[in-house]
Amino acid sequence: MSVIEAKGLNLTFQTNDGPVHALKDVNLTIEKGDFVSFIGPSGCGKTTFLRCVAGLEHPTGGTLSVNGMTPDEARKARAYGYVFQAAGLYPWRTIGRNIALPLEIMGYSKSEQAERVKRVLDLVELTGFEKKFPWQLSGGMQQRASIARALAFDADILLMDEPFGALDEIVRDRLNEEVLKLWNNTGKTIGFVTHSIPEAVYLSTKIVVMSPRPGRITDVIESTLPRERPLDIRDSAEFIAIAHRVRDGLRAGHMDE
Amino acid sequence: MNKLGPVITVILAIVAFWYVAAVPMNVQETLTAAERAGVAVTPDNARARSEAGRWSLVFQNLDALGGSWSVDRARLPSPHQVLTEIYNSTWDEEVNGRRGIVNSGSFSNRSLVYHSGVTLGATVLGFLIGAGFGILLAVGIVYSRTMDRSVMPWAIVSQTIPIVALAPMIIVVLYSIGIGGMMPKAVISAYLSFFPVVVGMVKGLRSPDHMQLDLLRTYNASKSQGFWKLRLPASMPYLFTSLKIGIAASLVGAIVGELPVQRGGLGARMLSGSYYGQTEQIWAALFVAAILAALMVAIIGWIEARTLKRMGMAV
């Protein structure tokens, strides 16, 4: 069953310097349980596409459906959790209360809030940090808390916009492993924006390679890697072959200019 | 307490400058008093002296200046004279005076304690009105495009009118419709204190960035949820900063409001001091006003520190 379906999607921003073609003729189908990475240089529209799926931007042409609804309807039905580039935790709320924020807004009962906060903290391995304030946590832990916040309610889609872009590589490797584990445990459909080739190949079942001006899809790679992925899978020939194909796709996008 | 050293140094420098400045400032009165006491001064008549420059008088009469710091009705009373006046019109008046609280059961209307109370009442009432009004306006400006465009220019214009010119009109108009007592002064205080609160609060309510607003959209949060859960808490540091400015402005407003009315208050003391040439009285009232302002700002600072600490945003 397809969860996200884009057909001939176009988005043009009107700016003072004239129109900017952020997305051009994007066709993409994402199945339930897929882990889809969007990779490409900045300005290729990968974040814009994710924001369109979230109903935060509105396409100027084509059709886009999320869970069989329009993106706005899906947003109102709280169909997805969104993780931004920065953790964006409220400094005046403890980690636990930050994670409870969407639950408060959606009207969950106090006891259910407490129970869910505990569960997702456990899921992102932050048990015991519930009463801490954000500034008392490292950047990686803050980003984990923001993932927990997106998981706290029952959205079966998780949209992540370069969530680990600002973190160092060691922390990033660990969080990549955790995200994979999380995906395995929850069966969610994940859309993941990145500009790291190893990250994209390591995480995804499907890699969408994009190129800029106008933002478009140049290649869609179905990963042949197994679902169980230890970190050292990145030294396997299969991994390197996929990474190679991604790199070729990125280069081809650049040659067009 | 590592601020203590620098603060004391600055205070000592100001006091030293003040004592030095008192000599040329009071030279006419000092020499007149000295002449009466039988000391030879040059020039030897008051008329000639009044035409001479201050500094030349100082240098011609270096050994007759001993009274510079104890002149009655000095142009510039020296610090210890002002402190004595403050003591006399607070502690001494209340404890030993016939009309003081010890002997009569109520504050003496000649004491600065009583007049501070009068000013403080109007200041606090005006501040509450002004701050409340300022916060409401800020919410309106942030949530309504029409208000954003229409209210802000007027708020700015309102602060360009000199309050000294406006205050008597406010008082006359309010008295003529039967509103007297503390209220007209409080209105002037509110007029001065709402503005910093509006500016600070608008800035604070707009301080959440795009990402935080987008996050709430992904939850499909309502406008009121956005206000209570994001904008309002985010504005707290800005609010407290502008409240501190607001309460100081409010005190100024109350004092200005007391000038034309002359029914008590520090402003009334300052004006009557200048009518009767009681410079010490003016300075004493001025000092007490400064102390009051400092205390009120400190109280807000204390509430700020406690609130932000509870919110986990201690700086």
Side-chain angles (χ1 to χ4, degrees):
Chain A
M1 188 191 109
S2 67
V3 173
I4 297 166
E5 201 163 5
K7 279 190 195 133
L9 205 65
N10 277 285
L11 176 55
T12 312
F13 290 115
Q14 298 300 335
T15 70
N16 290 336
D17 302 330
V20 171
H21 220 149
L23 289 174
K24 188 179 182 234
D25 201 25
V26 170
N27 294 296
L28 186 69
T29 305
I30 296 176
E31 303 294 333
K32 186 167 173 48
D34 269 352
F35 196 128
V36 183
S37 285
F38 299 85
I39 189 165
S42 47
C44 71
K46 52 194 194 296
T47 294
T48 309
F49 180 74
L50 211 64
R51 288 175 62 84
C52 285
V53 173
L56 297 174
E57 304 287 355
H58 295 95
T60 45
T63 61
L64 178 61
S65 77
V66 180
N67 277 352
M69 297 175 270
T70 68
D72 262 330
E73 284 164 357
R75 178 171 67 80
K76 284 174 184 147
R78 286 138 180 177
Y80 63 85
Y82 201 104
V83 179
F84 291 87
Q85 290 178 16
L89 301 170
Y90 292 0
W92 57 87
R93 282 177 174 242
T94 59
I95 297 303
R97 298 250 302 127
N98 262 293
I99 295 170
L101 175 71
L103 304 174
E104 278 174 26
I105 289 172
M106 296 172 193
Y108 285 81
S109 72
K110 282 270 176 223
S111 57
E112 180 130 359
Q113 286 182 25
E115 188 244 316
R116 279 168 181 264
V117 166
K118 208 169 125 38
R119 200 183 69 212
V120 291
L121 275 174
D122 204 36
L123 216 54
V124 298
E125 296 176 10
L126 278 178
T127 310
F129 289 93
E130 189 176 346
K131 295 268 187 294
K132 295 265 189 272
F133 281 103
W135 58 268
Q136 294 171 298
L137 270 63
S138 69
M141 288 162 99
Q142 288 187 21
Q143 196 53 281
R144 261 157 48 200
S146 90
I147 294 171
R149 184 177 57 187
L151 294 172
F153 53 103
D154 294 314
D156 52 8
I157 304 172
L158 187 57
L159 303 173
M160 305 172 90
D161 181 8
E162 289 186 44
F164 310 138
L167 304 176
D168 67 66
E169 199 157 338
I170 300 161
V171 176
R172 188 179 239 208
D173 275 355
R174 225 177 94 69
L175 289 179
N176 281 343
E177 260 187 298
E178 278 183 25
V179 165
L180 265 190
K181 203 156 73 182
L182 211 128
W183 172 64
N184 260 325
N185 293 343
T186 58
K188 288 187 193 287
T189 310
I190 299 183
F192 190 99
V193 167
T194 180
H195 45 224
S196 155
I197 296 174
E199 191 171 68
V201 178
Y202 178 65
L203 293 173
S204 321
T205 57
K206 188 185 264 194
I207 302 159
V208 179
V209 183
M210 300 182 75
S211 79
R213 284 177 293 273
R216 65 199 185 278
I217 295 177
T218 50
D219 197 3
V220 177
I221 302 162
E222 300 282 346
S223 177
T224 51
L225 295 174
R227 267 183 92 99
E228 284 295 327
R229 298 175 185 181
L231 263 181
D232 57 15
I233 203 172
R234 294 188 291 188
D235 300 323
S236 71
E238 208 176 354
F239 187 97
I240 291 165
I242 299 171
H244 206 88
R245 192 170 152 198
V246 174
R247 190 168 296 119
D248 281 346
L250 289 171
R251 198 171 297 146
H254 262 291
M255 305 256 264
D256 291 352
E257 285 183 29
Chain B
M1 279 294 25
N2 51 357
K3 279 195 246 171
L4 207 59
V7 168
I8 287 176
T9 311
V10 170
I11 289 176
L12 286 179
I14 291 172
V15 169
F17 176 75
W18 190 340
Y19 273 110
V20 172
V23 176
M25 284 297 287
N26 300 333
V27 69
Q28 305 271 5
E29 293 79 4
T30 308
L31 292 181
T32 306
E35 193 176 32
R36 278 193 201 127
V39 182
V41 296
T42 42
D44 59 2
N45 67 82
R47 193 185 154 78
R49 282 200 301 275
S50 73
E51 281 163 6
R54 291 176 193 285
W55 286 108
S56 76
L57 287 176
V58 168
F59 289 113
Q60 284 172 52
N61 299 285
L62 280 174
D63 43 1
L65 295 170
S68 294
W69 299 300
S70 53
V71 190
D72 205 20
R73 298 185 171 201
R75 295 208 182 179
L76 180 64
S78 46
H80 67 265
Q81 287 177 295
V82 174
L83 288 179
T84 309
E85 168 70 16
I86 292 177
Y87 173 80
N88 286 343
S89 56
T90 52
W91 184 265
D92 194 43
E93 176 72 20
E94 293 299 349
V95 175
N96 305 322
R98 186 172 55 81
R99 289 185 286 186
I101 186 141
V102 173
N103 292 325
S104 74
S106 63
F107 287 118
S108 161
N109 66 356
R110 281 167 55 183
S111 96
L112 282 175
V113 180
Y114 165 78
H115 291 286
S116 298
V118 172
T119 304
L120 205 58
T123 302
V124 172
L125 179 64
F127 172 70
L128 292 178
I129 298 171
F133 184 60
I135 291 170
L136 287 182
L137 271 186
V139 173
I141 286 170
V142 169
Y143 278 95
S144 152
R145 255 187 103 70
T146 322
M147 275 189 77
D148 185 17
R149 289 185 180 178
S150 58
V151 173
M152 210 51 177
W154 286 106
I156 292 166
V157 166
S158 77
Q159 302 302 303
T160 62
I161 303 167
I163 191 65
V164 188
L166 201 61
M169 289 193 276
I170 293 176
I171 289 165
V172 168
V173 168
L174 288 180
Y175 266 77
S176 71
I177 58 170
I179 300 172
M182 194 196 270
M183 205 54 200
K185 292 192 284 178
V187 168
I188 296 165
S189 282
Y191 185 90
L192 287 188
S193 59
F194 89 97
F195 185 69
V197 177
V198 170
V199 174
M201 200 61 187
V202 166
K203 180 105 179 135
L205 290 173
R206 284 189 175 146
S207 65
D209 58 22
H210 273 292
M211 200 193 76
Q212 289 185 313
L213 297 170
D214 278 346
L215 182 69
L216 285 184
R217 279 185 69 200
T218 71
Y219 301 148
N220 193 29
S222 68
K223 272 193 171 178
S224 76
Q225 285 170 329
F227 176 75
W228 292 109
K229 294 191 190 299
L230 175 60
R231 287 190 191 271
L232 190 66
S235 72
M236 281 303 127
Y238 298 84
L239 175 65
F240 279 111
T241 306
S242 46
L243 287 183
K244 284 187 204 164
I245 304 168
I247 196 141
S250 189
L251 181 71
V252 172
I255 289 174
V256 170
E258 282 159 357
L259 295 179
V261 179
Q262 290 298 307
R263 292 219 182 120
L266 294 173
R269 285 284 283 195
M270 286 176 201
L271 199 66
S272 74
S274 89
Y275 278 159
Y276 302 113
Q278 299 288 346
T279 44
E280 288 160 28
Q281 186 183 321
I282 302 175
W283 281 92
L286 212 63
F287 266 66
V288 170
I291 293 166
L292 279 186
L295 278 178
M296 289 186 298
V297 171
I299 289 171
I300 292 182
W302 180 76
I303 298 172
E304 174 185 31
R306 277 193 54 133
T307 310
L308 294 189
K309 196 173 173 204
R310 268 191 60 190
M311 290 173 76
M313 297 201 288
V315 269

